[in-house]
Amino acid sequence: MNWITRARVKVDRVACPWLIKKFVDPDATFFFVPADQVMAEAARLGAIPYDVKGVELGHHGQACSFEAILNKYDLTGNPALLLLGKIVNGADTDNTQWNQPEGPGLQAIAEGFRHLGYADDHAINAAEWIVYDALYAYCQEMVKQGRPHGAFKD
């Protein structure tokens, strides 16, 4: 499947492709285009738009696009992915829905990746996915320890 979103990726637009490749569509192809071209290019490419205003796999209320994908693709039975969704939400929004303590750290890391001089959004994604691998491992460990809300929340 083809997937498309806005260029100049940061939190949700890196987390979503990671989630899609790992749990939804291992053969996914991603396109990053200017915001005003997403819907036209989605139609032209037969691509699924995500993290764009007004689409199914976008922000709804206080939920971020990562959480929309978790819901759409029935991934909510995985408590480690639910925790990761709360962390992504905390980094990508004002963090008032979950007040997830790990969120601001992920936001800082994501911002840092934007300033490392990567050639394009594909390169940022390729480099940054190790962060999401590590966060997912953290989330799995938290669930295993009986801390499904993370190490820093009661």
Side-chain angles (χ1 to χ4, degrees), residues 10-90:
K10 196 171 174 185
V11 177
D12 224 2
R13 286 170 286 141
V14 176
C16 289
W18 176 89
L19 178 65
I20 290 163
K21 269 288 210 197
K22 298 276 183 175
F23 295 94
V24 176
D25 178 10
D27 298 320
T29 300
F30 296 96
F31 297 91
F32 306 99
V33 300
D36 63 347
Q37 296 175 21
V38 172
M39 298 313 291
E41 286 297 300
R44 186 180 74 78
L45 297 166
I48 300 167
Y50 65 94
D51 202 40
V52 179
K53 188 174 182 163
V55 300
E56 179 182 18
L57 300 177
H59 286 232
H60 298 281
Q62 290 184 301
C64 68
S65 302
F66 189 94
E67 292 165 304
I69 293 169
L70 289 177
N71 289 322
K72 167 81 177 178
Y73 292 97
D74 297 321
L75 299 171
T76 57
N78 180 329
L81 284 179
L82 286 178
L83 175 56
L84 183 53
K86 290 176 181 181
I87 295 168
V88 170
N89 180 297

Side-chain angles (χ1 to χ4, degrees), residues 46-149:
I48 300 167
Y50 65 94
D51 202 40
V52 179
K53 188 174 182 163
V55 300
E56 179 182 18
L57 300 177
H59 286 232
H60 298 281
Q62 290 184 301
C64 68
S65 302
F66 189 94
E67 292 165 304
I69 293 169
L70 289 177
N71 289 322
K72 167 81 177 178
Y73 292 97
D74 297 321
L75 299 171
T76 57
N78 180 329
L81 284 179
L82 286 178
L83 175 56
L84 183 53
K86 290 176 181 181
I87 295 168
V88 170
N89 180 297
D92 198 55
T93 71
D94 64 8
N95 200 18
T96 57
Q97 181 172 9
W98 306 113
N99 297 307
Q100 199 63 41
E102 300 92 341
L106 177 57
Q107 182 180 18
I109 290 166
E111 183 63 28
F113 269 94
R114 292 176 81 176
H115 300 284
L116 289 176
Y118 287 102
D120 58 28
D121 291 321
H122 292 285
I124 291 173
N125 269 274
E128 197 170 346
W129 281 9
I130 189 72
V131 171
Y132 290 92
D133 289 338
L135 278 172
Y136 183 58
Y138 161 81
C139 293
Q140 289 175 307
E141 182 60 26
M142 290 300 96
V143 169
K144 182 178 166 186
Q145 290 180 19
R147 302 194 75 179
H149 302 293

